[in-house]
Amino acid sequence: MASLSTKTGQVVDRSVLDSMLRRRLFYTPSFEIYGGVSGLYDYGPPGCAVLNNIVDLWRKHFVLEEDMLEVDCTMLTPHEILKTSGHVDKFADWMCKDPKTGEIFRADHLVEEVLEARLKGDKEARGQKVEVDEEKEAKKKKKVKQTKAVKLDDAVVKEYEETLAQIDNFDGPELEKIIAKYDIRNPTTDGNLLPPVAFNLMFQTSIGPSSNMPGYLRPETAQGQFLNFQKLLEFNQQSMPFASASIGKSFRNEISPRAGLLRVREFLMAEIEHFVDPQGGKKHARFEEVKDVKMTLLNRDIQLSGSTKTEEMTIGKAVETGLVDNETLGYFLARIQLFLLKLGVDPKKLRFRQHMANEMAHYATDCWDAELQTSYGWIECVGCADRSAYDLTVHKNKTGAPLVVRETRAEPLKVEEWQIDLDKKKFGPRFKKDGKTVTAAIDALSQELREKLSLDLEQTGKIEVEVEGVAGGKVELDKELIKIEKRTRVENVREYTPNVIEPSFGIGRILYSMIEQVYWSREGDEARGVLSFPPAIAPTKVLIVPLSTHQSFAPLVQRLTTKLRRMGVSNRVDDSSASIGKRYARNDELGTPFGVTVDFQSVKDNTFTLRDRDSTKQVRASEDEIAQAIKSLVEGEETWEDVRKRLPEFTGQEVE
Amino acid sequence: MASLSTKTGQVVDRSVLDSMLRRRLFYTPSFEIYGGVSGLYDYGPPGCAVLNNIVDLWRKHFVLEEDMLEVDCTMLTPHEILKTSGHVDKFADWMCKDPKTGEIFRADHLVEEVLEARLKGDKEARGQKVEVDEEKEAKKKKKVKQTKAVKLDDAVVKEYEETLAQIDNFDGPELEKIIAKYDIRNPTTDGNLLPPVAFNLMFQTSIGPSSNMPGYLRPETAQGQFLNFQKLLEFNQQSMPFASASIGKSFRNEISPRAGLLRVREFLMAEIEHFVDPQGGKKHARFEEVKDVKMTLLNRDIQLSGSTKTEEMTIGKAVETGLVDNETLGYFLARIQLFLLKLGVDPKKLRFRQHMANEMAHYATDCWDAELQTSYGWIECVGCADRSAYDLTVHKNKTGAPLVVRETRAEPLKVEEWQIDLDKKKFGPRFKKDGKTVTAAIDALSQELREKLSLDLEQTGKIEVEVEGVAGGKVELDKELIKIEKRTRVENVREYTPNVIEPSFGIGRILYSMIEQVYWSREGDEARGVLSFPPAIAPTKVLIVPLSTHQSFAPLVQRLTTKLRRMGVSNRVDDSSASIGKRYARNDELGTPFGVTVDFQSVKDNTFTLRDRDSTKQVRASEDEIAQAIKSLVEGEETWEDVRKRLPEFTGQEVE
């Protein structure tokens, strides 16, 4: 069972954290007064602010830093596009139905749940300590039979553990075998289940008044970017490589959502499609800047051996040794890590896991997930795949649109090839309405075949060509009609379909996982939670608290709040009658990094105390100095330690 | 027919503007390589940047300025919520089907189109000049019969004009009468149409794997805010008034979308729900700040009289005279105007139109639309309605959730009322299983009835109470069981359902209408278009152009671009080999307000020229001075005129 420690070494109690996040309205189940709908959540003011701050930082870190072309495409998507992309046929999870109760289970989750429960029962039977997730237990008690303390054979334990390590690697038939082999049933009723069937995860709808255009809500933002490739290349003045980017909601009709914000039916994504020439090893011009970034990697071979042991390595070495397929992919993996660290993610709770062969789409060259450690275990928050030329190719083939790059060759390319000339005057009368079909069949002949046919033609004066549907499938042509010669063709333009490297961010998952990692509670008091957001991410940067409701404080508060707003620093005033300690405690839970107290001394000499959320230490200085210090803290130019060194400490009353 | 003039007095040629916007990838039809879907558009990089800038400004102008509580709610919405809100029954347009061709028309648009065509034919027959929308004509030629130059009776012309002025005021049966009265048919085939039927505009889908939960894509962001009212009030520490806000996509399955970005099926909205105590005239604490704002108003009486004549008035006077219902509504109307002007909207092309009685929802107290003048006519871009207590009341009644405010009364309220006491010991045995029903019926008795019953009881010793479903509908009670007395109750808490003022912004419509208003072209050359975005809205703030590809320019360009980026000023380099004039012309079309040229003089003395998009005038100064000037221009601290006065003009080469 997963468990997570805070930076101060406490075990994260998810039910305490969760109730704090709901009480402070970071998020709330959607439509709760109507009973709610599983997998749908609303973000309240602080959650929404953190979400906006993450998006803002993402835009600066990726889009602005690399001049990416941001686009905003529709969520409604007609059937044909998602048929071509493969989503209609393959974007599915495997579900098992209990024929008696009508309950529906997601097959891989069911296997996980049951095997984990058996392993736990085995530990209990062996008298080993079992970590208990109380919330999960409480829920289970209501509906699931209690775990039985049954000892398993050592070999069985090993098998179970290996199966769990590879759980993402199995398709439907494999899951069916596992379910049969380990006799996995409905955990509540012990009833047998029907074999897994595929359930498409797209929400379906119909566009227009006459219900004649079936469509879906997009499962990812990527397709809109691919479809616009040609226009984006033109906008980029035909220059390669380049990236497009998109931030927006996507949808997934989950079979049975659980795990709160981590598995939802509607979610915010930020995706990059970096288009790169497949020739020349997919080098990246700025790889040098990141090559020494150290990363924690979990490669596919280790996972297939049933282990989850990670390895520390610079991204430079990972690319050099071929573990990461190419520089461009490596560049983005390192940039993803730098982004996550800016958000406040703990580097020790971040790893990059490589996809196993079956887990990856068949066309992908390599794929890594950035995973964050949470109380639910390691959670995939960012995917980064080399999708090769797959997407542009399928849409090009389907529509005929030239989703390609054409570039003038520095040196013209000379191609020796077998060319065919047809005598059109004789050809027409001979084949009549079949002329087009025959010509097309001849055009499609491979170079090898052309070489062979030219010999035949020379030797016998005639050849036979296979043409489906004409003259019984074979057409005879003689020297009068056809000529085959080896000639040199000069190519001045090179045409190619770019490959795509796709970093894809689940913003909601990042938000939740990051919150679990910055959460801790004041020593000795579990109820006094703190969210240590970095200032850039915090919903509000500064809390202003007048000592009391005394009227002499009002003009100072007004002046401070206006001054900070002009500096672009978001702030809130809490002039409620609660004690200062209570007001700060409330804002610790909201993750407000700094607090300014306005007291009677302030009225006399216009000095204020500035409090740091994490240390609860305070300094005291003039209005201008305090405002300036806040600005430089929020913009990341100084740390609290810097400020504390240069401004006089205030020890009058430490406000925890 | 509508026409629009640019600020330089040219008539906006929509087809020229449109082709420029598509060429520069402000927007593009979605799925175009698959043939496109009407009513769905993607925003390319400059359109997406303008959209983000508008949202950013909106957040600062409304959310931050007034500490609104921003929330992010799901788009997927279960049936029951939209049934309660009234959308399932009433969110519909009227459509007419041609039974022969199967074509579907939106009834009000059809009436408009046909009557406008007849009025045009009448003008032609009278020999009057008719403004021609060429693009529209070109489209019509393909499929619609040519307008006939037929003179109409003066009385008929008047009737048509009055009908058009009230077109938004008609419901289905009224449209049916109009269609019959004026013999309106399919404009292409002249065939008769079926009577109008209601078509619900929500996209339907189903949530979860077993298809048992029907749902819709939200038609507005408002419902999510209403459902969370109680939690938001709690978050706001029970303090009233307050506002929530939400920015996100909404959906409308339009019958036959036309008019490009103005009528789409998926669109970005920004909505505010301001919750206010209905007692005390809905005053607003900051109304004083805006009361002198002058507005152009079109009131409902004028429209009902068949005219569209506007009137200039301060919002203070509009509220004072009762034209605008209350201060809070007036405050937001003024704030909406201030926001639109920040975006670059021309005050002469902005009016506020009051809804007519039938156009407004039955529960609304008053409603105004901010309309922007475009080549399509006056377009509703922001709605601002006083929705009374409707929404909170219907959801409260349906779910029982306390969507109310409870506040301690300064003075306890004494209420004289008739109270009823029941003798529970005798009551139970007497009514057995019906006890609850009878008690409920008694609790529900009105004060009037109680007074009357108390007299009966006194006089006859018994009374009869109507109870549905018990003892044939009437229950007899005597003095032993029931006592009715007049007593004084002291109420310390006041409970009320807040009213809602709802400013609702269609961001895509604002974007397109604003673009039409800031568009113009250089004198004498229609092909040289300019978009005069204010700097805050422009997709890119600065274009940096080296004179040529000479290598000595590269380090200067690099230094400038890094410096500007650090200052938070977005910029792009165009180092293509095109002439400087061409590069500037491209960026005039993109609306880039400033340009910096790097030339050989720059290499010698580190001075640069700074070009103003609108005047094409240039100044020349040192790197630091130029960078500082750009920052102050972009942040709105100086105008170009200010900069031009204090820095030396450059007349070497004026780059138009």
Side-chain angles (χ1 to χ4, degrees), chain A residues 485-609:
Chain A
E485 277 183 3
K486 191 163 202 174
R487 296 186 202 131
T488 300
R489 183 169 52 79
V490 178
E491 256 187 36
N492 289 304
V493 170
R494 178 179 159 234
E495 185 177 293
Y496 68 89
T497 303
N499 279 17
V500 171
I501 312 288
E502 184 194 66
S504 170
F505 298 71
I507 301 292
R509 285 184 163 202
I510 292 174
L511 176 140
Y512 179 78
S513 305
M514 178 268 285
I515 283 183
E516 276 206 0
Q517 295 194 1
V518 300
Y519 166 71
W520 56 289
S521 48
R522 300 265 180 230
E523 211 172 328
D525 192 351
E526 203 187 41
R528 299 178 60 202
V530 184
L531 293 176
S532 285
F533 294 122
I537 295 303
T540 305
K541 313 307 178 197
V542 185
L543 174 75
I544 299 173
V545 271
L547 189 66
S548 70
T549 52
H550 195 280
Q551 58 173 20
S552 63
F553 299 141
L556 281 76
V557 167
Q558 184 59 42
R559 214 166 57 214
L560 256 178
T561 185
T562 308
K563 181 170 217 153
L564 289 171
R565 192 172 287 163
R566 288 227 177 100
M567 286 175 154
V569 175
S570 74
N571 62 88
R572 274 184 181 267
V573 177
D574 186 348
D575 52 7
S576 68
S577 57
S579 74
I580 289 214
K582 272 219 175 111
R583 285 182 273 168
Y584 274 130
R586 177 171 189 268
N587 277 273
D588 287 346
E589 294 191 343
L590 287 165
T592 311
F594 307 108
V596 174
T597 318
V598 180
D599 54 22
F600 288 107
Q601 188 70 25
S602 311
V603 180
K604 274 189 222 155
D605 65 3
N606 206 31
T607 65
F608 301 87
T609 65

Side-chain angles (χ1 to χ4, degrees), chain A residues 44-333:
Chain A
C48 194
V50 173
L51 214 56
N52 291 340
N53 292 339
I54 294 177
V55 166
D56 202 49
L57 204 66
W58 192 89
R59 212 171 246 139
K60 282 189 190 131
H61 186 86
F62 292 104
V63 180
L64 291 184
E65 180 64 30
E66 311 195 16
D67 274 344
M68 292 176 178
L69 305 183
E70 188 179 341
V71 297
D72 182 22
C73 305
T74 62
M75 298 168 200
L76 288 167
T77 310
H79 173 88
E80 208 183 353
I81 285 109
L82 293 161
K83 177 74 185 171
T84 306
S85 69
H87 286 89
V88 170
D89 298 323
K90 291 188 179 155
F91 189 68
D93 275 342
W94 297 93
M95 66 176 187
C96 294
K97 193 170 176 173
D98 182 324
K100 278 198 188 138
T101 65
E103 272 175 287
I104 289 168
F105 298 89
R106 191 172 139 177
D108 55 343
H109 286 175
L110 178 71
V111 170
E112 263 185 310
E113 186 182 329
V114 171
L115 295 192
E116 275 174 1
R118 289 185 193 166
L119 286 173
K120 202 181 127 209
D122 171 71
K123 276 194 174 177
E124 278 175 18
R126 287 171 194 245
Q128 293 169 359
K129 189 171 170 291
V130 179
E131 281 176 32
V132 177
D133 182 326
E134 284 175 18
E135 190 199 13
K136 221 167 169 178
E137 288 306 303
K139 276 193 189 149
K140 271 188 194 162
K141 267 173 205 155
K142 282 188 210 142
K143 51 170 202 154
V144 179
K145 295 202 310 181
Q146 205 53 28
T147 314
K148 283 185 216 148
V150 176
K151 188 171 176 306
L152 306 169
D153 281 350
D154 289 359
V156 170
V157 169
K158 191 154 175 281
E159 266 187 56
Y160 283 4
E161 280 169 352
E162 284 172 3
T163 302
L164 288 171
Q166 296 183 54
I167 190 73
D168 292 328
N169 204 27
F170 303 122
D171 61 13
E174 284 166 331
L175 287 167
E176 183 175 353
K177 274 183 216 155
I178 290 168
I179 288 170
K181 184 173 174 193
Y182 300 135
D183 191 25
I184 289 171
R185 305 173 182 212
N186 182 335
T188 321
T189 64
D190 215 29
N192 280 311
L193 302 170
L194 297 177
V197 293
F199 170 70
N200 194 291
L201 298 175
M202 291 192 293
F203 286 96
Q204 195 164 1
T205 189
S206 127
I207 305 171
S210 47
S211 305
N212 55 2
M213 187 187 275
Y216 304 94
L217 296 177
R218 69 179 174 197
E220 57 176 22
T221 71
Q223 297 305 320
Q225 300 181 60
F226 298 138
L227 298 185
N228 284 311
F229 171 74
Q230 207 187 338
K231 293 169 193 168
L232 291 166
L233 179 64
E234 169 67 27
F235 184 84
N236 207 44
Q237 301 180 288
Q238 306 294 338
S239 165
M240 285 282 293
F242 74 95
S244 61
S246 197
I247 303 167
K249 294 273 166 76
S250 296
F251 301 82
R252 219 180 226 262
N253 198 3
E254 294 285 351
I255 291 173
S256 56
R258 48 179 194 177
L261 291 184
L262 294 179
R263 190 166 296 283
V264 293
R265 287 175 165 151
E266 180 178 329
F267 46 93
L268 188 64
M269 290 185 93
E271 288 189 303
I272 295 165
E273 310 298 332
H274 181 91
F275 300 100
V276 59
D277 188 341
Q279 271 187 18
K282 304 183 191 173
K283 299 279 181 205
H284 195 286
R286 296 176 68 173
F287 186 69
E288 194 64 21
E289 294 174 30
V290 301
K291 73 177 201 310
D292 295 327
V293 172
K294 270 210 184 117
M295 313 192 59
T296 303
L297 305 176
L298 171 57
N299 76 44
R300 69 166 64 102
D301 296 336
I302 295 279
Q303 294 167 69
L304 280 174
S305 78
S307 159
T308 55
K309 197 171 149 20
T310 58
E311 170 175 31
E312 299 285 318
M313 201 185 285
T314 65
I315 192 66
K317 188 162 171 228
V319 171
E320 201 185 299
T321 57
L323 173 55
V324 168
D325 185 75
N326 59 71
E327 270 192 8
T328 300
L329 186 61
Y331 175 76
F332 279 108
L333 292 178

Side-chain angles (χ1 to χ4, degrees), chain A residues 23-25 28-34 36-38 40-46 48 51-52 59 64-78 80-81 84 95 104 199 203-210 213 217 224 227-228 230-232 234-237 249 251 253-256 265-266 394-395 398-399 401 403 565 570-572 574 576 586 590, chain B residues 23-25 28-34 36-38 40-46 48 51-52 59 64-78 80-81 84 95 104 199 203-210 213 217 224 227-228 230-232 234-237 249 251 253-256 265-266 394-395 398-399 401 403 565 570-572 574 576 586 590:
Chain A
R23 191 173 64 245
R24 293 300 172 213
L25 214 46
T28 185
S30 304
F31 321 111
E32 199 173 24
I33 64 173
Y34 279 83
V37 177
S38 59
L40 293 180
Y41 293 91
D42 296 342
Y43 290 97
C48 194
L51 214 56
N52 291 340
R59 212 171 246 139
L64 291 184
E65 180 64 30
E66 311 195 16
D67 274 344
M68 292 176 178
L69 305 183
E70 188 179 341
V71 297
D72 182 22
C73 305
T74 62
M75 298 168 200
L76 288 167
T77 310
E80 208 183 353
I81 285 109
T84 306
M95 66 176 187
I104 289 168
F199 170 70
F203 286 96
Q204 195 164 1
T205 189
S206 127
I207 305 171
S210 47
M213 187 187 275
L217 296 177
L227 298 185
N228 284 311
Q230 207 187 338
K231 293 169 193 168
L232 291 166
E234 169 67 27
F235 184 84
N236 207 44
Q237 301 180 288
K249 294 273 166 76
F251 301 82
N253 198 3
E254 294 285 351
I255 291 173
S256 56
R265 287 175 165 151
E266 180 178 329
V394 293
H395 290 301
K398 180 74 187 175
T399 63
L403 304 180
R565 192 172 287 163
S570 74
N571 62 88
R572 274 184 181 267
D574 186 348
S576 68
R586 177 171 189 268
L590 287 165
Chain B
R23 191 172 66 247
R24 292 302 172 212
L25 215 46
T28 185
S30 304
F31 321 111
E32 198 173 25
I33 65 174
Y34 278 83
V37 177
S38 59
L40 294 180
Y41 292 91
D42 295 343
Y43 290 96
C48 194
L51 214 56
N52 291 341
R59 211 171 249 138
L64 292 184
E65 180 64 30
E66 312 195 17
D67 274 345
M68 292 176 178
L69 305 183
E70 189 179 340
V71 297
D72 182 22
C73 305
T74 62
M75 298 167 200
L76 288 167
T77 310
E80 207 183 352
I81 284 110
T84 306
M95 66 177 185
I104 288 168
F199 171 69
F203 286 96
Q204 196 165 1
T205 190
S206 123
I207 304 170
S210 46
M213 188 187 275
L217 296 177
L227 298 186
N228 284 310
Q230 206 188 342
K231 293 169 192 169
L232 290 167
E234 169 66 28
F235 184 84
N236 207 43
Q237 301 180 287
K249 295 271 165 78
F251 302 81
N253 198 3
E254 293 286 350
I255 292 172
S256 57
R265 286 174 165 151
E266 181 178 329
V394 294
H395 290 302
K398 179 74 188 175
T399 63
L403 303 181
R565 190 172 290 164
S570 75
N571 62 89
R572 274 186 181 265
D574 186 348
S576 69
R586 176 171 189 269
L590 288 166

Side-chain angles (χ1 to χ4, degrees), chain B residues 4 6 11-18 134-135 519 526:
Chain B
L4 184 77
T6 66
V11 171
V12 171
D13 182 332
R14 195 196 305 145
S15 62
V16 171
L17 170 59
D18 222 56
E134 285 175 17
E135 191 198 15
Y519 167 70
E526 203 188 41

